[in-house]
PDB file of all heavy atoms in Angstrom:
ATOM      1  N   ARG A 124     -16.163  -0.358   8.402  1.00 95.00           N
ATOM      2  CA  ARG A 124     -15.681  -0.043   9.746  1.00 95.00           C
ATOM      3  C   ARG A 124     -14.281   0.563   9.711  1.00 95.00           C
ATOM      4  O   ARG A 124     -13.836   1.168  10.679  1.00 95.00           O
ATOM      5  CB  ARG A 124     -15.667  -1.320  10.595  1.00 95.00           C
ATOM      6  CG  ARG A 124     -17.029  -1.975  10.729  1.00 95.00           C
ATOM      7  CD  ARG A 124     -16.943  -3.347  11.367  1.00 95.00           C
ATOM      8  NE  ARG A 124     -18.236  -4.017  11.327  1.00 95.00           N
ATOM      9  CZ  ARG A 124     -18.417  -5.285  11.652  1.00 95.00           C
ATOM     10  NH1 ARG A 124     -17.399  -6.021  12.052  1.00 95.00           N
ATOM     11  NH2 ARG A 124     -19.626  -5.834  11.592  1.00 95.00           N
ATOM     12  N   GLY A 125     -13.598   0.349   8.619  1.00 97.00           N
ATOM     13  CA  GLY A 125     -12.242   0.849   8.470  1.00 97.00           C
ATOM     14  C   GLY A 125     -11.602   0.219   7.254  1.00 97.00           C
ATOM     15  O   GLY A 125     -12.292  -0.264   6.345  1.00 97.00           O
ATOM     16  N   ILE A 126     -10.300   0.193   7.250  1.00 98.00           N
ATOM     17  CA  ILE A 126      -9.534  -0.344   6.136  1.00 98.00           C
ATOM     18  C   ILE A 126      -8.429  -1.238   6.697  1.00 98.00           C
ATOM     19  O   ILE A 126      -8.429  -1.547   7.887  1.00 98.00           O
ATOM     20  CB  ILE A 126      -8.988   0.791   5.248  1.00 98.00           C
ATOM     21  CG1 ILE A 126      -8.178   1.779   6.094  1.00 98.00           C
ATOM     22  CG2 ILE A 126     -10.132   1.500   4.561  1.00 98.00           C
ATOM     23  CD1 ILE A 126      -7.718   3.004   5.327  1.00 98.00           C
ATOM     24  N   ALA A 127      -7.494  -1.670   5.857  1.00 98.00           N
ATOM     25  CA  ALA A 127      -6.495  -2.627   6.335  1.00 98.00           C
ATOM     26  C   ALA A 127      -5.208  -2.507   5.530  1.00 98.00           C
ATOM     27  O   ALA A 127      -5.192  -1.999   4.404  1.00 98.00           O
ATOM     28  CB  ALA A 127      -7.038  -4.055   6.235  1.00 98.00           C
ATOM     29  N   LEU A 128      -4.129  -2.999   6.143  1.00 97.00           N
ATOM     30  CA  LEU A 128      -2.865  -3.241   5.459  1.00 97.00           C
ATOM     31  C   LEU A 128      -2.707  -4.746   5.338  1.00 97.00           C
ATOM     32  O   LEU A 128      -3.124  -5.495   6.230  1.00 97.00           O
ATOM     33  CB  LEU A 128      -1.692  -2.674   6.255  1.00 97.00           C
ATOM     34  CG  LEU A 128      -1.722  -1.183   6.578  1.00 97.00           C
ATOM     35  CD1 LEU A 128      -0.568  -0.824   7.505  1.00 97.00           C
ATOM     36  CD2 LEU A 128      -1.658  -0.356   5.313  1.00 97.00           C
ATOM     37  N   CYS A 129      -2.084  -5.212   4.259  1.00 96.00           N
ATOM     38  CA  CYS A 129      -1.928  -6.663   4.123  1.00 96.00           C
ATOM     39  C   CYS A 129      -0.782  -6.988   3.178  1.00 96.00           C
ATOM     40  O   CYS A 129      -0.180  -6.115   2.547  1.00 96.00           O
ATOM     41  CB  CYS A 129      -3.211  -7.298   3.603  1.00 96.00           C
ATOM     42  SG  CYS A 129      -3.402  -7.234   1.808  1.00 96.00           S
ATOM     43  N   ASN A 130      -0.499  -8.283   3.077  1.00 93.00           N
ATOM     44  CA  ASN A 130       0.381  -8.832   2.047  1.00 93.00           C
ATOM     45  C   ASN A 130      -0.471  -9.563   1.022  1.00 93.00           C
ATOM     46  O   ASN A 130      -1.180 -10.508   1.368  1.00 93.00           O
ATOM     47  CB  ASN A 130       1.385  -9.822   2.640  1.00 93.00           C
ATOM     48  CG  ASN A 130       2.361  -9.165   3.587  1.00 93.00           C
ATOM     49  OD1 ASN A 130       2.214  -9.267   4.798  1.00 93.00           O
ATOM     50  ND2 ASN A 130       3.356  -8.497   3.042  1.00 93.00           N
ATOM     51  N   LEU A 131      -0.412  -9.114  -0.229  1.00 91.00           N
ATOM     52  CA  LEU A 131      -0.975  -9.927  -1.314  1.00 91.00           C
ATOM     53  C   LEU A 131       0.034 -10.954  -1.782  1.00 91.00           C
ATOM     54  O   LEU A 131      -0.312 -11.960  -2.385  1.00 91.00           O
ATOM     55  CB  LEU A 131      -1.377  -9.044  -2.497  1.00 91.00           C
ATOM     56  CG  LEU A 131      -2.642  -8.201  -2.334  1.00 91.00           C
ATOM     57  CD1 LEU A 131      -2.977  -7.506  -3.642  1.00 91.00           C
ATOM     58  CD2 LEU A 131      -3.817  -9.023  -1.852  1.00 91.00           C
ATOM     59  N   ARG A 132       1.297 -10.677  -1.528  1.00 91.00           N
ATOM     60  CA  ARG A 132       2.379 -11.648  -1.730  1.00 91.00           C
ATOM     61  C   ARG A 132       3.375 -11.449  -0.599  1.00 91.00           C
ATOM     62  O   ARG A 132       3.386 -10.412   0.075  1.00 91.00           O
ATOM     63  CB  ARG A 132       3.059 -11.440  -3.086  1.00 91.00           C
ATOM     64  CG  ARG A 132       3.768 -10.100  -3.224  1.00 91.00           C
ATOM     65  CD  ARG A 132       4.728 -10.116  -4.384  1.00 91.00           C
ATOM     66  NE  ARG A 132       5.365  -8.837  -4.601  1.00 91.00           N
ATOM     67  CZ  ARG A 132       6.458  -8.400  -3.947  1.00 91.00           C
ATOM     68  NH1 ARG A 132       6.997  -9.147  -2.991  1.00 91.00           N
ATOM     69  NH2 ARG A 132       6.998  -7.226  -4.241  1.00 91.00           N
ATOM     70  N   VAL A 133       4.213 -12.422  -0.404  1.00 89.00           N
ATOM     71  CA  VAL A 133       5.199 -12.347   0.676  1.00 89.00           C
ATOM     72  C   VAL A 133       6.143 -11.176   0.429  1.00 89.00           C
ATOM     73  O   VAL A 133       6.649 -10.982  -0.683  1.00 89.00           O
ATOM     74  CB  VAL A 133       5.988 -13.661   0.766  1.00 89.00           C
ATOM     75  CG1 VAL A 133       7.107 -13.541   1.803  1.00 89.00           C
ATOM     76  CG2 VAL A 133       5.055 -14.811   1.142  1.00 89.00           C
ATOM     77  N   GLY A 134       6.348 -10.356   1.471  1.00 87.00           N
ATOM     78  CA  GLY A 134       7.355  -9.308   1.397  1.00 87.00           C
ATOM     79  C   GLY A 134       6.892  -7.977   0.858  1.00 87.00           C
ATOM     80  O   GLY A 134       7.705  -7.059   0.720  1.00 87.00           O
ATOM     81  N   HIS A 135       5.608  -7.826   0.568  1.00 92.00           N
ATOM     82  CA  HIS A 135       5.146  -6.546   0.011  1.00 92.00           C
ATOM     83  C   HIS A 135       3.809  -6.180   0.630  1.00 92.00           C
ATOM     84  O   HIS A 135       2.869  -6.982   0.650  1.00 92.00           O
ATOM     85  CB  HIS A 135       5.018  -6.629  -1.500  1.00 92.00           C
ATOM     86  CG  HIS A 135       4.578  -5.338  -2.129  1.00 92.00           C
ATOM     87  ND1 HIS A 135       5.231  -4.140  -1.905  1.00 92.00           N
ATOM     88  CD2 HIS A 135       3.521  -5.051  -2.946  1.00 92.00           C
ATOM     89  CE1 HIS A 135       4.615  -3.178  -2.575  1.00 92.00           C
ATOM     90  NE2 HIS A 135       3.579  -3.699  -3.210  1.00 92.00           N
ATOM     91  N   ILE A 136       3.701  -4.937   1.132  1.00 94.00           N
ATOM     92  CA  ILE A 136       2.527  -4.450   1.847  1.00 94.00           C
ATOM     93  C   ILE A 136       1.718  -3.533   0.938  1.00 94.00           C
ATOM     94  O   ILE A 136       2.276  -2.681   0.242  1.00 94.00           O
ATOM     95  CB  ILE A 136       2.952  -3.690   3.119  1.00 94.00           C
ATOM     96  CG1 ILE A 136       3.795  -4.596   4.015  1.00 94.00           C
ATOM     97  CG2 ILE A 136       1.734  -3.163   3.877  1.00 94.00           C
ATOM     98  CD1 ILE A 136       4.556  -3.840   5.093  1.00 94.00           C
ATOM     99  N   VAL A 137       0.399  -3.705   0.965  1.00 97.00           N
ATOM    100  CA  VAL A 137      -0.511  -2.848   0.211  1.00 97.00           C
ATOM    101  C   VAL A 137      -1.651  -2.411   1.125  1.00 97.00           C
ATOM    102  O   VAL A 137      -1.843  -2.955   2.219  1.00 97.00           O
ATOM    103  CB  VAL A 137      -1.089  -3.564  -1.033  1.00 97.00           C
ATOM    104  CG1 VAL A 137       0.030  -4.008  -1.963  1.00 97.00           C
ATOM    105  CG2 VAL A 137      -1.961  -4.749  -0.628  1.00 97.00           C
TER     106      VAL A 137
END
Side-chain angles (χ1 to χ4, degrees):
R124 301 170 187 171
I126 55 186
L128 302 174
C129 83
N130 295 102
L131 286 186
R132 64 164 177 84
V133 175
H135 181 53
I136 303 165
V137 301

